[in-house]
Amino acid sequence: MSISVNEASDIQREISERSAPDYLDQLEAEAIYIMREVAGQFERPALLFSGGKDSITLVHLAKKAFAPGKIPFPLVHVDTGHNFIEAIEYRDELAEKINAKLIVRYVEDTIKAKGLKEQTGKNASRNWLQTFTLLDTIEEFEFDACIGGARRDEEKARAKERIFSFRDEFGQWDPKRQRPELWNLFNGRIQKGENVRVFPISNWTELDVWAYLKREGIALPSIYFAHERELILRDGKLLNNTPVIEPDPEDQIVTRQVRFRTVGDMTCTAAVESSAATLDEVIAEITISRISERGETRIDDQQTEAAMEDRKKGGYF
Amino acid sequence: MDDGKSTLIGRLLYDTKNILADQMEAIERASKTRNAGEIDLALLTDGLRSEREQGITIDVAYKYFQTPNRKFISIDAPGHIQYTRNMVTGASNADLAIILVDARHGVVEQTRRHSLIASMLGIPHVIVAVNKMDLVGNSEDAFLEIAKSYKELAEKLSIKDLTIIPVSALNGDNIVDRSESMSWYTGETLLSVLENVNVLKDQNQEDGRFAVQYVIRPQTEELHDYRGYAGRVQSGTFKKGDAIKVLPSERESKIAKIEFGGNEIQEASVLQSVTILLEDDIDISRGDTIVTVDNSPIVSQDIEALVCWMDDKKTLKPGNKYVLQHGTARSRCSIRDIEYQIDINSYEKLDEVEALKLNDVARIVLRTAQPIAYDPYQKNRANGAAILIDETSNVTVGACMIE
């Protein structure tokens, strides 16, 4: 029914005498507000941090929200063992630099402890299995809120999810029973054992994240920028050449100049051919790209029309 | 009822080149499996499996698009009466509402309902898009007739800024591009209104209101005595040196410093998330409101409000107890009275209503356990809104607009 209008950068024609905040300021203020609601409403929140650009943005926002104090919650990473080494190194360095508590739990351990069966064959991934580790971690530390970097523009199920997304004691999302979310009044009341997933950058687009990283001068893992790499060419997609990807007879090994537009597991994240070596060049490429972020790089979403919706119903973030 | 809402959003995105190639391919693929006909732009916003199966919008969907002039967030909300609560949810944050009227049917019950919600939720700008003009021969008379009856309707409501546009979402007439088949229409296109409407002016710049979310106390050696009040300016402006009052305690002080991200700034205006430090060490915690001393909200335990009831299991009855969340404050409250219910289709006031069911709208009286510092919703959206939470299920069950 309705369209909400966000101000763009050209606001010179605005009647308001006060210098108007631009849309990045507005998005930033909203995200900080949400972070503070988490700190104010929950006893044991955590920030899910992977070393990818969206969660890097979250950490930066959390720093701003609670300055000059420390971020009042730990950073949590569910490590599938299939992550890019550059992202893992970045994760550890950042946590140390800002003196944050970093909790890492490994999917490998969950697989062993629970005797879980891994996918096998072409395009096998631990994407689904990380849900088990995440839920165990939530239980172990009794987290009542987990802040994540999901954005509504990424994917159609995410476009439907609340900013404070209630999960039952099994971590499940029920899209038909979402709490009404009105104004900026976030309802984080839960029973023991339940939790809330919170998405402070819900309203950011991919381009907003890049523009913000640039404006704030935030460093990123090197894989986001063009570099030469040995890759597996499979079904038109370029995957990192790594032993964690099960080989397929049709695979071709190639060397290309690429960058990663998103950073997930190596098994399901494809690279894009690019010569963009700086933030400005990356932003320029994304601006003219005619393919969406997940469409270009995520193999996990393309398996069925409702792949993300189904994963979320099972407790994925 | 298919009034073409999702198609309109799809058209806006398509004509402003905000649909990417892979998304278009996905829609084409999905369209083919559903009907043999044309590409169904509605599939772009109906994100849940059950929505695509039934071809209707159940929950609010957010879409992001931009033109060279502005960035937009579109909130696609379901129109059917059984999803009124979802519509209220979508409308609560909107700066502008587009209400679709089917040119073949004119102003109908649904139009009246949507308009009441837009007015009640205080959406400052309303565009009525008279859609499917192609199906009435693009007739000017048909349009003028509908525009006239809509204006009559709008007089009963408080819609501050109204624009009525003849469109065809299916053909893209007067959405982004001017219609060649309706050359008699000389007004603005839909996009042109969207791009030019002034939304900053709609923010309340007068009443200084700051709900404290969190107290920052680093407790380190060099910041031993630091106490910063973290929050977002809900309305008005705060400056260093301003005399302020803390509510509900009524204690007064002055702003010693305003910080953002740990750096000092001179003033904070509406919607900014900042940290305020005061000259005096007074007891302030989450749920308190800092206001400018010369402009006070109402502080009271007795509240009258319009409520939209959202629980599909339990009814609202006088005597029931809930948690009222207003700003960052939460207080238990008890329903004293249902003054009257409003028939959201006919706008008739219904007296002697005993209980409210899902999607009912009524004026209620409630009493809170602690005093609440509020402004009337129609004057100050940010400080006049509240939600009711069921104490046992923790679900949000009511949307309140305080009168």
Side-chain angles (χ1 to χ4, degrees):
Chain A
M1 175 196 83
S2 50
I3 293 237
S4 154
V5 185
N6 233 23
E7 288 299 295
S9 48
D10 85 299
I11 33 172
Q12 288 83 351
R13 63 196 146 80
E14 291 299 344
I15 294 163
S16 172
E17 286 167 34
R18 198 165 292 122
S19 72
D22 80 354
Y23 74 95
L24 281 180
D25 292 328
Q26 291 187 35
L27 290 172
E28 181 186 53
E30 180 185 64
I32 289 174
Y33 170 79
I34 295 163
M35 293 268 184
R36 289 165 161 183
E37 277 305 282
V38 174
Q41 289 198 31
F42 296 94
E43 278 170 33
R44 271 183 292 277
L47 190 153
L48 301 176
F49 181 65
S50 66
K53 69 179 190 321
D54 296 319
S55 61
I56 291 170
T57 302
L58 286 184
V59 171
H60 183 81
L61 289 163
K63 265 166 56 191
K64 277 193 151 177
F66 302 104
K70 269 174 50 174
I71 299 175
F73 30 75
L75 311 182
V76 172
H77 185 222
V78 173
D79 191 333
T80 58
H82 293 173
N83 299 95
F84 287 90
I85 181 72
E86 293 88 342
I88 297 297
E89 283 171 3
Y90 183 100
R91 176 196 76 188
D92 295 342
E93 277 168 29
L94 181 71
E96 198 182 311
K97 199 175 105 196
I98 64 169
N99 194 19
K101 186 179 175 198
L102 174 69
I103 296 168
V104 182
R105 287 294 176 269
Y106 299 90
V107 174
E108 187 75 43
D109 294 342
T110 317
I111 292 171
K112 283 187 186 139
K114 293 203 149 102
L116 299 177
K117 194 171 162 357
E118 288 203 67
Q119 285 182 350
T120 51
K122 190 179 169 188
N123 295 337
S125 127
R126 286 181 169 177
N127 206 317
W128 170 250
L129 291 181
Q130 62 181 319
T131 302
F132 292 90
T133 313
L134 174 62
L135 296 180
D136 284 353
T137 312
I138 289 171
E139 216 170 286
E140 179 186 350
F141 294 93
E142 296 179 29
F143 291 133
D144 47 7
C146 294
I147 301 170
R151 308 186 323 266
R152 286 173 176 156
D153 86 316
E154 274 181 81
E155 198 281 328
K156 56 188 179 297
R158 287 190 164 162
K160 291 273 170 176
E161 194 166 7
R162 303 285 186 255
I163 290 174
F164 268 44
S165 182
F166 172 80
R167 301 301 175 96
D168 66 14
E169 57 191 308
F170 306 102
Q172 300 179 111
W173 180 53
D174 184 350
K176 287 191 175 166
R177 296 210 54 80
Q178 297 202 84
R179 291 178 177 178
E181 194 161 82
L182 298 132
W183 300 288
N184 53 5
L185 298 172
F186 299 109
N187 172 7
R189 275 178 65 115
I190 51 169
Q191 311 275 3
K192 202 169 162 52
E194 298 167 342
N195 68 86
V196 173
R197 309 291 168 84
V198 180
F199 305 112
I201 59 169
S202 283
N203 287 325
W204 297 43
T205 64
E206 181 192 15
L207 208 50
D208 295 334
V209 171
W210 284 103
Y212 186 73
L213 291 165
K214 176 174 179 248
R215 188 184 87 170
E216 301 289 304
I218 302 167
L220 286 177
S222 57
I223 48 173
Y224 279 109
F225 303 101
H227 57 284
E228 209 148 87
R229 185 180 281 263
E230 205 178 86
L231 302 131
I232 302 169
L233 177 61
R234 176 185 288 183
D235 301 333
K237 294 239 179 339
L238 292 163
L239 295 165
N240 194 29
N241 187 18
T242 155
V244 305
I245 297 179
E246 231 174 279
D248 186 81
E250 308 268 291
D251 288 349
Q252 265 181 277
I253 305 298
V254 296
T255 300
R256 300 274 165 84
Q257 196 183 31
V258 294
R259 63 178 171 82
F260 288 87
R261 192 167 164 188
T262 67
V263 171
D265 270 10
M266 291 187 286
T267 53
C268 59
T269 309
V272 295
E273 286 197 63
S274 167
S275 59
T278 64
L279 270 175
D280 280 319
E281 288 166 6
V282 171
I283 290 170
E285 273 192 10
I286 293 167
T287 309
I288 56 165
S289 168
R290 299 303 303 154
I291 303 178
S292 75
E293 184 180 12
R294 294 191 81 93
E296 185 166 56
T297 65
R298 286 304 173 99
I299 292 153
D300 44 340
D301 285 349
Q302 289 159 16
Q303 297 179 350
T304 71
E305 207 181 7
M308 177 66 87
E309 184 179 339
D310 294 341
R311 284 208 301 275
K312 278 180 171 291
K313 284 176 180 165
Y316 191 76
F317 94 92
Chain B
M1 194 191 305
D2 173 34
D3 49 13
K5 185 172 34 66
S6 298
T7 312
L8 179 88
I9 302 279
R11 171 58 69 181
L12 255 177
L13 298 183
Y14 185 74
D15 285 359
T16 52
K17 301 189 171 49
N18 276 283
I19 301 181
L20 300 173
D22 59 314
Q23 295 169 326
M24 201 64 213
E25 277 169 29
I27 297 168
E28 281 170 11
R29 248 195 331 268
S31 300
K32 273 190 199 127
T33 61
R34 282 181 178 74
N35 43 40
E38 281 186 58
I39 291 167
D40 185 358
L41 288 172
L43 291 171
L44 200 63
T45 55
D46 291 336
L48 300 174
R49 192 198 293 274
S50 51
E51 292 177 319
R52 288 191 298 272
E53 281 165 5
Q54 298 174 51
I56 54 164
T57 310
I58 293 172
D59 207 338
V60 177
Y62 301 85
K63 280 278 159 193
Y64 302 80
F65 67 102
Q66 59 182 334
T67 67
N69 299 317
R70 206 170 223 180
K71 289 178 76 86
F72 300 92
I73 303 175
S74 87
I75 310 168
D76 190 4
H80 198 274
I81 190 158
Q82 75 183 96
Y83 302 117
T84 297
R85 64 172 170 176
N86 305 76
M87 176 171 290
V88 169
T89 299
S92 69
N93 283 320
D95 296 310
L96 179 149
I98 301 175
I99 295 173
L100 277 163
V101 173
D102 188 321
R104 294 170 301 174
H105 307 128
V107 172
V108 294
E109 197 173 272
Q110 179 159 283
T111 322
R112 302 174 63 86
R113 190 167 69 241
H114 295 178
S115 302
L116 178 75
I117 291 169
S119 158
M120 194 168 77
L121 270 295
I123 302 177
H125 310 275
V126 171
I127 298 176
V128 173
V130 181
N131 191 25
K132 304 189 183 176
M133 283 299 293
D134 49 316
L135 298 182
V136 294
N138 295 310
S139 151
E140 183 177 13
D141 287 345
F143 173 72
L144 291 176
E145 187 64 30
I146 292 169
K148 185 165 157 273
S149 59
Y150 190 85
K151 280 178 191 155
E152 280 166 21
L153 169 81
E155 274 170 26
K156 297 182 194 145
L157 303 166
S158 59
I159 294 174
K160 289 169 199 131
D161 176 30
L162 172 68
T163 314
I164 308 177
I165 307 173
V167 305
S168 163
L170 192 67
N171 299 334
D173 284 340
N174 290 332
I175 306 287
V176 172
D177 302 311
R178 239 168 211 298
S179 165
E180 283 172 23
S181 22
M182 288 180 271
S183 50
W184 48 264
Y185 177 72
T186 53
E188 286 183 279
T189 61
L190 182 69
L191 182 67
S192 159
V193 179
L194 295 179
E195 284 188 322
N196 292 303
V197 80
N198 186 326
V199 293
L200 275 187
K201 227 176 52 180
D202 302 326
Q203 298 292 341
N204 180 321
Q205 316 267 7
E206 290 82 46
D207 313 329
R209 307 283 183 263
F210 183 89
V212 176
Q213 294 183 270
Y214 185 79
V215 182
I216 298 176
R217 294 182 61 200
Q219 291 174 304
T220 56
E221 234 167 82
E222 65 269 32
L223 295 164
H224 192 267
D225 296 322
Y226 184 100
R227 276 180 80 87
Y229 304 107
R232 193 174 190 190
V233 180
Q234 296 164 284
S235 58
T237 310
F238 291 88
K239 287 189 205 65
K240 185 178 178 168
D242 276 356
I244 61 93
K245 190 158 67 178
V246 181
L247 297 174
S249 73
E250 306 271 355
R251 287 173 203 271
E252 295 188 11
S253 182
K254 274 196 175 131
I255 294 180
K257 206 175 172 190
I258 302 177
E259 291 184 350
F260 175 67
N263 302 314
E264 181 164 8
I265 54 173
Q266 290 310 305
E267 68 165 56
S269 53
V270 58
L271 293 183
Q272 275 185 279
S273 286
V274 297
T275 304
I276 290 179
L277 291 91
L278 299 180
E279 286 185 0
D280 306 282
D281 202 3
I282 49 179
D283 179 24
I284 302 178
S285 55
R286 177 176 167 84
D288 289 335
T289 304
I290 296 174
V291 305
T292 42
V293 85
D294 51 357
N295 174 334
S296 252
I298 300 158
V299 183
S300 172
Q301 284 173 265
D302 295 296
I303 291 172
E304 291 184 34
L306 280 179
V307 66
C308 174
W309 189 244
M310 301 183 155
D311 196 341
D312 51 7
K313 293 202 176 78
K314 298 185 237 171
T315 59
L316 175 143
K317 281 185 196 144
N320 285 5
K321 292 189 174 58
Y322 301 99
V323 172
L324 182 88
Q325 184 171 331
H326 168 263
T328 58
R330 276 189 192 147
S331 169
R332 295 189 77 197
C333 72
S334 137
I335 308 299
R336 286 290 159 97
D337 187 25
I338 301 173
E339 285 189 289
Y340 54 83
Q341 187 186 335
I342 300 170
D343 181 317
I344 58 174
N345 294 321
S346 69
Y347 305 169
E348 225 175 303
K349 285 180 186 172
L350 313 170
D351 292 326
E352 290 169 38
V353 174
E354 279 168 20
L356 299 182
K357 304 179 305 298
L358 175 67
N359 296 324
D360 283 350
V361 171
R363 187 172 153 122
I364 57 168
V365 183
L366 54 88
R367 184 168 170 85
T368 57
Q370 283 89 37
I372 299 288
Y374 68 89
D375 292 286
Y377 182 82
Q378 293 294 341
K379 176 169 169 272
N380 189 331
R381 248 173 128 181
N383 199 38
I387 55 173
L388 292 174
I389 300 171
D390 185 296
E391 284 186 291
T392 52
S393 71
N394 290 325
V395 172
T396 304
V397 287
C400 296
M401 286 132 291
I402 304 175
E403 303 233 294

